[in-house]
Amino acid sequence: MAADSDPVVVSVVVADGLMGSLGLGVVAEFFAYDRRAMGLPLFDFALVTAEPGVVRTDTGLGITVEHGLDRLAVSDIVVITSWASDGTAPPAELVAGVRAAYARGAQLVSHCTGAFVLAEAGLLDGRRAATHWRYAGELAARYPAVVVDPAVLYVDNGRVITGAGTAAGLDTLLHLVRREWGTVAANALAREMVVPPHRDGGQAQFIDAPVARCEDDLLGVVLDWARAHLAEDISVPLLARRALMSPRSFARRFKATTGTTPHAWLLSQRLAAAEALLEDSDAPVEEVARLVGFGTAAGLREQFTRRRGVSPRAYRQTFRTGGSVGTAAVQLDRHRPGAGRVRGDEAGVHAGLGQPA
């Protein structure tokens, strides 16, 4: 990223007829405004394309793009909102520019079919990646070295983040903001845009047949209860009873609705709550562990280090924002959306954490 005193240069790669209107709007909402009052840096935002001029969106709107792909050479963040999924290869100049930006240390973000450009550049080889579930099969077939996950909202590989389609661009960029500039900034930006700071589950809940509304509502009530009672001993049978289901039916419905298991979901909620308390409370690590349900500091340290790559104490030293701790109910309720940074190769759905219920 740029030095603290310099603007963060953000370049959004667009192509004629392929530029998604919604995707463009999402990226502009994040980077085209002065959000320094929210704790974000100043962004130098621009669209770039192979041949500057009037570029049409996927809905036919014409937008004047003034910058060519040479701007990638000075960009801190490069976003690719979409690309053709029909086998049309991106121009060699774009592929080379993306590779060079990555080699120079830039952050690369793809939204929806923009993952095809990163895959063509070889930057997803051997890595998990997300794209719109409708195009996941095509991405996997064309780039067999890429581990495509069709069920998640985004996958973070450090300096390469891939997101799913349409509204998942919000989840992807909120994750980037949360990771780079903290939970407080991400939450403030989410409130400004009237969206949740973090969505549970992944694309799995949107694929094929959705569950009945009454069951969704009941499951949502149970999940809300669990978030507010993380300090307690929460088991699948307990959650199933509250959902008026057998444990087996509950686990099956939970996986179909959220794309993950009850155990994995609960672990992700506890880690997110721990992150929030470490960032903006004075609670000792032992108290944080108790408030979020890990019981002991050793239990929190083991899971936190395994999933986040750093100890709770090191995380607090890096991302400390101040504040004081109150009661467990107040703290956990205040951070219920699941705020917190996610590091390494970890999907927004936290798929695969723990054992199946």
Side-chain angles (χ1 to χ4, degrees):
M1 295 293 180
D4 291 342
S5 59
D6 298 329
V8 175
V9 180
V10 180
S11 294
V12 181
V13 177
V14 297
D16 190 50
L18 299 175
M19 176 172 50
S21 300
L22 179 56
L24 177 59
V26 167
V27 179
E29 185 70 27
F30 276 82
F31 300 120
Y33 294 95
D34 187 344
R35 307 282 195 187
R36 284 176 288 181
M38 296 182 182
L40 292 172
L42 181 65
F43 296 108
D44 178 355
F45 172 83
L47 306 182
V48 303
T49 190
E51 298 181 6
V54 177
V55 177
R56 292 175 294 111
T57 69
D58 54 357
T59 57
L61 298 175
I63 297 178
T64 301
V65 179
E66 300 177 349
H67 298 274
L69 296 177
D70 55 323
R71 181 181 158 96
L72 299 182
V74 296
S75 298
D76 298 300
I77 300 175
V78 175
V79 183
I80 306 170
T81 60
S82 59
W83 195 258
S85 59
D86 60 0
T88 303
E93 182 185 2
L94 173 56
V95 173
V98 167
R99 285 176 181 156
Y102 178 79
R104 187 174 46 78
Q107 174 73 55
L108 303 182
V109 182
S110 71
H111 174 210
C112 196
T113 50
F116 282 79
V117 176
L118 297 182
E120 182 70 21
L123 299 179
L124 300 181
D125 288 357
R127 290 172 162 171
R128 291 175 63 234
T131 188
H132 192 293
W133 60 265
R134 189 181 302 279
Y135 305 108
E138 179 64 22
L139 181 64
R142 285 177 53 190
Y143 303 99
V146 181
V147 183
V148 181
D149 191 337
V152 297
L153 295 173
Y154 57 81
V155 173
D156 184 342
N157 284 294
R159 285 195 296 106
V160 178
I161 302 177
T162 52
T166 317
L170 290 165
D171 302 277
T172 306
L173 293 177
L174 277 172
H175 167 72
L176 176 63
V177 169
R178 188 165 56 242
R179 192 192 74 181
E180 295 296 327
W181 297 290
T183 299
V184 173
N187 287 353
L189 185 53
R191 285 193 295 271
E192 183 77 7
M193 295 188 293
V194 199
V195 297
H198 177 82
R199 281 197 293 167
D200 297 314
Q203 294 189 86
Q205 59 191 307
F206 307 114
I207 300 174
D208 296 330
V211 297
R213 179 177 177 81
C214 62
E215 293 179 347
D216 275 349
D217 289 346
L218 182 56
L219 182 58
V221 171
V222 172
L223 298 188
D224 286 343
W225 177 88
R227 290 190 190 97
H229 295 81
L230 291 177
E232 301 180 16
D233 183 12
I234 301 175
S235 65
V236 172
L238 174 62
L239 295 176
R241 286 196 300 272
R242 297 190 71 89
L244 307 179
M245 301 180 192
S246 70
R248 180 169 297 189
S249 295
F250 175 79
R252 184 167 55 248
R253 181 64 66 189
F254 194 100
K255 182 67 179 288
T257 304
T258 68
T260 189
T261 67
H263 182 277
W265 179 87
L266 188 58
L267 177 58
S268 73
Q269 294 300 308
R270 284 175 164 152
L271 287 170
E275 288 175 331
L277 290 174
L278 289 168
E279 285 193 27
D280 57 5
S281 84
D282 295 317
V285 172
E286 292 78 6
E287 179 68 1
V288 171
R290 186 191 68 78
L291 289 173
V292 302
F294 284 112
T296 65
L300 172 59
R301 277 194 295 268
E302 178 186 0
Q303 293 294 342
F304 204 95
T305 302
R306 180 185 302 174
R307 309 299 178 183
R308 300 298 188 254
V310 295
S311 70
R313 198 172 303 278
Y315 182 91
R316 168 171 274 169
Q317 290 172 349
T318 302
F319 299 111
R320 172 77 178 166
T321 60
S324 59
V325 67
T327 65
V330 171
Q331 289 297 319
L332 295 181
D333 184 73
R334 184 160 60 87
H335 298 291
R336 274 174 51 189
R341 296 179 180 80
V342 181
R343 295 182 170 277
D345 179 9
E346 184 169 349
V349 72
H350 300 279
L353 297 184
Q355 300 299 320

